[in-house]
Amino acid sequence: MASSEQSTAQIGVKYDNVGLPLVPQPTKSPLDPLNYPMWLKLITLAQVALIAFIATLNVTIISPAVVLLSKEFHLESLAVTCQTTIAIGVSALGPLVLPRSRTSVGSANAKSFGTLIFARAINGLGPSAAVGLVAGTVVDLFYVHQRGKAMGVFTLMLTTGAHISPIIGGYVAKSMGWRWCFWVAAFLNGVMLIICMAFLPETIFERDNSKEVKETDSMECKMGTGNESTLPIVPYTPPKMTFATYSETLRFWTRSSSRRIAARDFFLKPLSMFQYPTVSFPAIYYGVIYAYASIGAGLTVATLFTRIYKFDTARDGLANGISLLIGATLGEMCAGPVTDLMMQRARKKALTTNAVVPSEIRLLCIYPGVIAIPAGLLMLVLLSFSWC
């Protein structure tokens, strides 16, 4: 038992409230994002999640005003939807290149459809910053067993931004014209920029990964041998956050010697992740589901409901946004806690055999969506025939 105590003391493994090793292991520095108090972690998560919310709102807020755009530029509704399609398509390339600033002001001032297409193409790069920023921030701030809820908040804000925006855009376009949809988005972007510049802390931290403790190593030290008693497990208490420390995290410039980015990293390095099935399959799955369940509905509802039911932009926005908002909210509220629970149960089970649980265990939660989404689309098609 003495050797076990000595090993435990040498390793200095830190545990959570239920007695499981923290992954990753935090350092003793108060600047370590893992040591941030929970209130600061939640405020930081809220800020970056709101960036994601406004980013998708910025792209799709014009969706209910498709008919107004077609009248303005004397084009068919199908052609007008290209401006939203281009914005969404370009946003998919955003995480692979340097994020650019949003151009809602340029879209609002467009005098021709060609100018609007150009502005919307650049405008589509805006969400790339949110998607790349939030996922990395969650990894910096939260332990493995906490990331499901945090990513659930992020995904909820990311998807609901695209679903609330038609509701907002419908009423704005009806009362003030379609150009004000972009002015509203520009105003929200500006307000969020000021908030983040004043209160968003830096989460980059130089961590020595060579000293990272595996769960199997920590459990070998904790379990001991024979009938010997084990050491009592004391939950880890992070160092206190002072105002001076918080002020230091708000610096605009932070140099990182281990995170220098080469030119090839902007495009080639992200594409290399597709060689891993655990990355490529969820990415393709999410893309296909998002295209059919969200984008397809958003681009067709305004035109169809205006022709069939004589809806105005406000009603088109409600028809487009409410149903998707309810479904996405319920799904994301359940997905985060469920994936965290699955991870905790798998870790407890694996510790009995000194195994390490892969993060891919969370992928099991996609099975309900595999059934529910095709069923919902099939119901929509069948009901559409009955309405017609």
Side-chain angles (χ1 to χ4, degrees):
M1 183 60 191
S3 60
S4 176
E5 293 181 0
Q6 183 179 2
S7 299
T8 304
Q10 291 175 350
I11 295 178
V13 179
K14 303 175 182 69
Y15 298 92
D16 61 14
N17 293 328
V18 297
L20 293 175
L22 292 170
V23 180
Q25 287 282 293
T27 65
K28 297 180 179 180
S29 172
L31 294 176
D32 187 345
L34 294 174
N35 288 328
Y36 288 178
M38 185 55 65
W39 64 265
L40 181 56
K41 291 184 178 183
L42 295 179
I43 289 177
T44 305
L45 176 63
Q47 290 181 74
V48 293
L50 280 173
I51 297 174
F53 174 86
I54 296 175
T56 52
L57 180 145
N58 186 62
V59 172
T60 58
I61 193 172
I62 195 64
S63 297
V66 167
V67 177
L68 296 181
L69 282 171
S70 65
K71 293 179 180 179
E72 174 83 14
F73 297 109
H74 306 288
L75 296 170
E76 293 291 333
S77 298
L78 179 61
V80 172
T81 59
C82 291
Q83 52 84 26
T84 300
T85 305
I86 288 176
I88 296 174
V90 173
S91 68
L93 300 176
L96 306 181
V97 296
L98 181 65
R100 309 288 180 84
S101 60
R102 303 180 183 95
T103 53
S104 296
V105 175
S107 301
N109 290 318
K111 302 300 181 182
S112 66
F113 190 67
T115 304
L116 179 62
I117 289 290
F118 177 76
R120 293 287 279 164
I122 302 177
N123 186 212
L125 288 173
S128 63
V131 174
L133 175 66
V134 179
T137 303
V138 168
V139 173
D140 290 339
L141 288 174
F142 296 95
Y143 300 105
V144 169
H145 68 281
Q146 299 173 331
R147 292 174 185 171
K149 295 185 183 70
M151 287 301 295
V153 172
F154 157 57
T155 310
L156 176 63
M157 299 298 287
L158 184 70
T159 55
T160 54
H163 300 155
I164 290 179
S165 61
I167 301 175
I168 299 174
Y171 283 102
V172 171
K174 180 182 178 180
S175 59
M176 306 176 68
W178 65 267
R179 295 182 185 274
W180 271 95
C181 293
F182 295 118
W183 284 117
V184 169
F187 174 77
L188 294 175
N189 289 332
V191 170
M192 200 62 221
L193 176 62
I194 295 174
I195 293 175
C196 290
M197 290 182 66
F199 301 107
L200 184 62
E202 177 60 73
T203 60
I204 292 180
F205 183 75
E206 297 288 343
R207 192 182 305 279
D208 188 359
N209 294 325
S210 63
K211 297 181 180 180
E212 186 62 40
V213 179
K214 296 182 180 179
E215 288 187 1
T216 52
D217 297 335
S218 64
M219 286 308 296
E220 288 176 359
C221 297
K222 188 182 97 173
M223 291 172 63
T225 58
N227 296 324
E228 300 167 337
S229 60
T230 59
L231 290 174
I233 297 175
V234 179
Y236 171 66
T237 302
K240 293 183 178 181
M241 170 67 71
T242 63
F243 182 77
T245 303
Y246 176 63
S247 300
E248 189 173 351
T249 65
L250 297 178
R251 292 182 301 175
F252 286 130
W253 303 105
T254 301
R255 293 185 178 182
S256 176
S257 59
S258 65
R259 300 192 183 190
R260 294 181 179 178
I261 301 177
R264 64 179 181 275
D265 295 336
F266 286 107
F267 189 79
L268 297 179
K269 193 170 183 179
L271 290 179
S272 66
M273 297 301 294
F274 275 94
Q275 65 181 307
Y276 304 106
T278 53
V279 175
S280 58
F281 174 73
I284 295 172
Y285 171 81
Y286 181 81
V288 172
I289 294 301
Y290 185 62
Y292 280 101
S294 183
I295 297 177
L299 296 180
T300 57
V301 163
T303 302
L304 293 178
F305 281 25
T306 298
R307 292 179 180 178
I308 298 174
Y309 305 110
K310 310 302 179 184
F311 279 7
D312 56 18
T313 56
R315 290 185 176 182
D316 283 333
L318 291 173
N320 189 359
I322 290 179
S323 58
L324 295 175
L325 178 63
I326 294 175
T329 302
L330 292 176
E332 296 302 336
M333 288 178 64
C334 296
V338 169
T339 56
D340 280 345
L341 178 61
M342 291 174 58
M343 176 60 71
Q344 283 291 74
R345 292 183 60 183
R347 290 179 67 201
K348 290 180 180 179
K349 183 178 180 180
L351 287 176
T352 60
T353 58
N354 287 346
V356 177
V357 180
S359 299
E360 291 78 10
I361 194 71
R362 299 180 187 272
L363 295 180
L364 296 176
C365 283
I366 69 176
Y367 288 116
V370 171
I371 300 173
I373 293 177
L377 293 174
L378 182 61
M379 291 172 59
L380 176 62
V381 172
L382 295 177
L383 291 175
S384 298
F385 281 117
S386 64
W387 292 337
C388 296

